[in-house]
Amino acid sequence: MDSYYDLKDIPSTDSRYCLLIGNFDGVHLGHQMLLHTLKEKASKLSCKTAVFSYQNHPSTVLTPETPTLLLSTSLHRVRLMESFGIDLFILQTFNREFASQTPKQFLEKLQKQLPFKHLILGYDSRIGKGREGKQETVEKLAKEMNFQVSYLPELKPQGKHVSSTHLRKLLAQGDFKELKQLLGRPYSILSKIIPGEGKGRHLGYRTANLDVSSLCLPPYGVYVVHAKIKDHKYKGIANLGVAPTMRKEHSHVCLEVHIFDYNGDMYGEEAEVTFLHYLRSEQTFASPEELKLQIKKDIMEAHRFLEDE
């Protein structure tokens, strides 16, 4: 799959595409039904498949005082699109320029950089400045610009209404069982491992640190997890939160994962951390020694859970 973070970076091509536009935050079961429809339509038209989305949620520009937190990182969405066999995925940065485009300007820009003969939109999609591009407008533009357009009805996998908004509520509640049903996979965070402050190593428990800024997150605390690195799955525990015992600054949220039986160099590697079980809330301990004893207890409890599992 080819992936780009700016329309301007797409090389010129003679290929024709069937294009799907949407946020695809979480790539849940509803999104997956859209992707299957895209592939079926592209096969009938002998086209390649393309998905256009935004790297950041539009609310970060339109309502920056109350931005919507994302369910999945950009990297995670790229990997999920790859798994569905999409040919081309664009994760455009949403900025003031994009926000100010009329529906026609937006579609003309897309056509220039990505020649498509069929456009697929969800039943409630609106495109362009102020969401002016409703179905009647887009169908009129399709005739002018010589492409076909399909609006899909609301899709209800397993008969359930599925939305990213509902999934965010479930995640905030730590309802991983319901999340798994609506995502079609266990809830996880996929990101690159970044350097931490090295304090876990001083405690005797090396950690892989993942940047979770801008993400909607489950409740802070300690979890039993699986961590997938280089196609290998490892067991471990993770602390999600601000690490109050070891950090003076409590504004930065981080996911710190202690992976059992892993000794390789982790920095820069992609890691997918799957949340299995909530052990306890995040706590402030009187000393690093107390924290070290608690981590030992957490690891023992995690092993018991994993053996029972």
Side-chain angles (χ1 to χ4, degrees):
M1 182 185 81
D2 294 320
S3 57
Y4 298 94
Y5 290 91
D6 196 309
L7 270 174
K8 296 191 293 290
D9 294 334
I10 300 175
S12 58
T13 176
D14 293 328
S15 298
R16 289 295 177 265
Y17 288 89
C18 189
L19 175 66
L20 175 63
I21 298 176
N23 276 329
F24 302 101
D25 185 22
V27 194
H28 54 61
L29 287 180
H31 295 146
Q32 292 169 33
M33 292 177 74
L34 289 171
L35 293 171
H36 287 307
T37 301
L38 170 69
K39 294 186 70 174
E40 290 171 2
K41 178 66 72 173
S43 178
K44 289 178 182 178
L45 298 174
S46 299
C47 290
K48 289 187 174 182
T49 54
V51 176
F52 178 88
S53 189
Y54 290 111
Q55 187 172 173
N56 55 316
H57 196 280
S59 64
T60 59
V61 173
L62 301 176
T63 56
E65 65 283 357
T66 55
T68 298
L69 299 175
L70 296 170
L71 290 164
S72 50
T73 63
S74 296
L75 179 60
H76 202 174
R77 279 186 283 166
V78 168
R79 296 291 173 254
L80 287 167
M81 290 294 171
E82 283 179 342
S83 71
F84 279 92
I86 301 304
D87 296 311
L88 179 64
F89 185 40
I90 307 104
L91 266 177
Q92 178 72 43
T93 298
F94 187 86
N95 52 31
R96 287 292 176 188
E97 178 190 352
F98 265 84
S100 65
Q101 294 176 114
T102 65
K104 184 174 183 179
Q105 288 171 332
F106 173 62
L107 291 172
E108 285 177 339
K109 179 173 282 191
L110 276 175
Q111 275 278 31
K112 180 180 178 180
Q113 298 297 134
L114 180 67
F116 60 90
K117 61 190 298 184
H118 197 102
L119 173 64
I120 296 177
L121 294 166
Y123 73 101
D124 58 350
S125 290
R126 300 287 187 274
I127 62 173
K129 180 181 178 181
R131 294 171 57 83
E132 295 170 358
K134 55 186 179 180
Q135 184 170 346
E136 181 182 354
T137 302
V138 174
E139 288 176 344
K140 181 180 178 181
L141 289 170
K143 292 179 182 178
E144 292 178 13
M145 298 172 63
N146 194 30
F147 66 84
Q148 297 175 320
V149 60
S150 297
Y151 276 83
L152 301 184
E154 181 180 6
L155 304 175
K156 292 187 176 182
Q158 302 171 4
K160 296 181 180 180
H161 171 73
V162 185
S163 70
S164 297
T165 299
H166 180 54
L167 291 178
R168 290 186 193 100
K169 292 178 182 178
L170 293 174
L171 183 55
Q173 297 165 5
D175 190 344
F176 297 122
K177 183 177 180 181
E178 182 73 6
L179 274 170
K180 181 178 180 180
Q181 292 178 0
L182 299 183
L183 286 171
R185 62 184 187 278
Y187 169 73
S188 64
I189 293 175
L190 191 154
S191 188
K192 287 193 175 182
I193 297 172
I194 59 175
E197 297 178 10
K199 294 183 178 180
R201 190 189 300 271
H202 294 315
L203 291 172
Y205 298 103
R206 185 185 179 204
T207 60
N209 299 274
L210 276 67
D211 180 13
V212 293
S213 58
S214 78
L215 287 183
C216 180
L217 297 168
Y220 291 177
V222 178
Y223 292 85
V224 184
V225 299
H226 281 154
K228 186 178 179 182
I229 304 175
K230 293 181 178 178
D231 294 323
H232 292 284
K233 189 165 70 175
Y234 302 90
K235 300 172 182 179
I237 61 169
N239 184 82
L240 175 65
V242 296
T245 305
M246 301 301 291
R247 289 199 195 128
K248 293 179 181 179
E249 281 289 333
H250 294 170
S251 59
H252 179 64
V253 180
C254 190
L255 178 63
E256 300 172 300
V257 188
H258 173 60
I259 303 172
F260 306 154
D261 306 318
Y262 187 90
N263 298 310
D265 183 11
M266 295 186 286
Y267 296 139
E269 295 289 350
E270 291 181 16
E272 182 176 7
V273 178
T274 301
F275 290 67
L276 304 177
H277 178 66
Y278 181 81
L279 283 177
R280 62 173 176 84
S281 62
E282 188 174 48
Q283 300 168 238
T284 302
F285 293 90
S287 67
E289 288 72 27
E290 277 193 24
L291 172 58
K292 187 173 180 179
L293 286 172
Q294 182 60 53
I295 293 173
K296 185 176 181 180
K297 293 177 183 177
D298 294 338
I299 291 173
M300 292 173 62
E301 184 66 27
H303 279 299
R304 281 194 288 268
F305 172 82
L306 291 164
E307 286 170 7
D308 292 341
E309 186 192 33

